[in-house]
Amino acid sequence: MLRSLIWKRSQAYSSVVTMSSISQRGNERLLSEVAGSHSRDNKILVLGGNGYVGSHICKEALRQGFSVSSLSRSGRSSLHDSWVDDVTWHQGDLLSPDSLKPALEGITSVISCVGGFGSNSQMVRINGTANINAVKAAAEQGVKRFVYISAADFGVINNLIRGYFEGKRATEAEILDKFGNRGSVLRPGFIHGTRQVGSIKLPLSLIGAPLEMVLKLLPKEVSKIPVIGPLLIPPVNVKSVAATAVKAAVDPEFASGVIDVYRILQHGH
């Protein structure tokens, strides 16, 4: 009789474990389905997706299972990596806003990495006018969120490339005006990582990674010291910028507004 009682309890315990396992697998499947549905619902357009930062953002968004497209003046990326085939490439010029409209169809979030250097007037046009055109077009199209890769303030250096920062700040103001709490502005400093130029891979992290490791240990307040403070802003890995940008584009709970390098370091790890 004792042996029979032990056997029954063993059977009951086995049933509980089996049901628990089934329930756990069911929960995992449900979470997976929800995540998959979430990914399918988000369609991200990366402006300048064939550039250094833009290509990493495309890869990060694809890694998370999102639908990704990109628009740039040259169209498809010249890289021969496998991820390139998973992006829908559009050719267009943000200075001609009508060329952007077809790429915005069905898009829920836009991430702009468009920027460049030149004369002051050229920098205002590239960093400002072009991006402002994109912000306006995205707002008119009903895009839910807009993320912009801007740049940290570098004090006196700002004056040397005045048009660059004038354009950047004008775009930031337009995003916060048109998108409010659905707009995010990332302000990294030096972005390190592996940058591919043609067939050459530039290991920017050889300099950037050690500097990031050291400078991020300093209190944030040192970056506000006149003249030298901006030079103590820690560099940030391009993968951290990409991860933060994608999170800002798809997570409705992500804090909007200006995201400085310290918050990029926090969100990117």
Side-chain angles (χ1 to χ4, degrees):
M1 183 174 178
L2 178 60
R3 184 180 300 174
S4 174
L5 181 60
I6 293 173
W7 181 83
K8 287 181 180 180
R9 288 187 176 181
S10 175
Q11 288 293 99
Y13 175 77
S14 177
S15 298
V16 170
V17 170
T18 301
M19 290 300 295
S20 176
S21 299
I22 292 172
S23 176
Q24 182 177 354
R25 288 196 297 271
N27 289 337
E28 289 175 351
R29 188 183 303 112
L30 178 61
L31 289 173
S32 176
E33 289 174 355
V34 170
S37 174
H38 172 69
S39 297
R40 288 192 296 272
D41 289 342
N42 284 283
K43 299 182 184 300
I44 301 173
L45 173 65
V46 181
L47 303 178
N50 57 3
Y52 171 45
V53 177
S55 62
H56 281 84
I57 289 175
C58 286
K59 285 190 287 185
E60 176 62 20
L62 289 170
R63 186 190 69 80
Q64 294 190 34
F66 298 112
S67 172
V68 181
S69 58
S70 174
L71 180 138
S72 60
R73 286 184 296 176
S74 56
R76 183 183 173 87
S77 172
S78 60
L79 298 176
H80 298 292
D81 297 338
S82 58
W83 65 267
V84 173
D85 294 329
D86 296 325
V87 176
T88 300
W89 299 95
H90 299 274
Q91 188 170 11
D93 187 346
L94 297 185
L95 293 173
S96 302
D98 288 343
S99 68
L100 177 60
K101 291 180 180 178
L104 283 171
E105 292 182 7
I107 295 298
T108 54
S109 302
V110 172
I111 303 175
S112 178
C113 312
V114 173
F117 296 94
S119 66
N120 274 324
S121 60
Q122 287 174 325
M123 289 189 287
V124 170
R125 193 162 59 252
I126 297 170
N127 298 284
T129 307
N131 281 298
I132 289 171
N133 287 343
V135 174
K136 290 178 178 177
E140 291 173 1
Q141 195 72 20
V143 169
K144 294 180 180 178
R145 301 184 71 82
F146 199 106
V147 181
Y148 178 51
I149 310 302
S150 188
D153 282 315
F154 281 101
V156 294
I157 296 177
N158 290 17
N159 297 323
L160 301 178
I161 47 176
R162 180 170 45 82
Y164 179 84
F165 282 96
E166 283 183 7
K168 292 283 189 184
R169 299 301 177 250
T171 297
E172 293 180 6
E174 189 69 20
I175 291 171
L176 299 179
D177 176 59
K178 292 290 189 297
F179 283 87
N181 61 5
R182 295 178 295 112
S184 298
V185 172
L186 275 58
R187 285 187 181 176
F190 173 61
I191 302 175
H192 68 88
T194 300
R195 182 168 191 166
Q196 187 157 343
V197 180
S199 59
I200 301 174
K201 292 185 177 181
L202 302 178
L204 302 180
S205 286
L206 289 179
I207 298 173
L211 283 175
E212 176 186 338
M213 187 177 300
V214 172
L215 294 180
K216 72 180 181 182
L217 298 176
L218 299 177
K220 180 179 178 179
E221 288 69 26
V222 301
S223 65
K224 299 177 182 178
I225 298 174
V227 184
I228 66 168
L231 301 178
L232 300 177
I233 295 174
V236 60
N237 191 287
V238 66
K239 292 182 179 179
S240 296
V241 175
T244 306
V246 173
K247 187 172 184 179
V250 301
D251 186 353
E253 296 183 1
F254 185 90
S256 58
V258 175
I259 313 297
D260 64 19
V261 66
Y262 299 95
R263 291 175 63 193
I264 294 173
L265 289 168
Q266 177 186 352
H267 287 295
H269 291 291

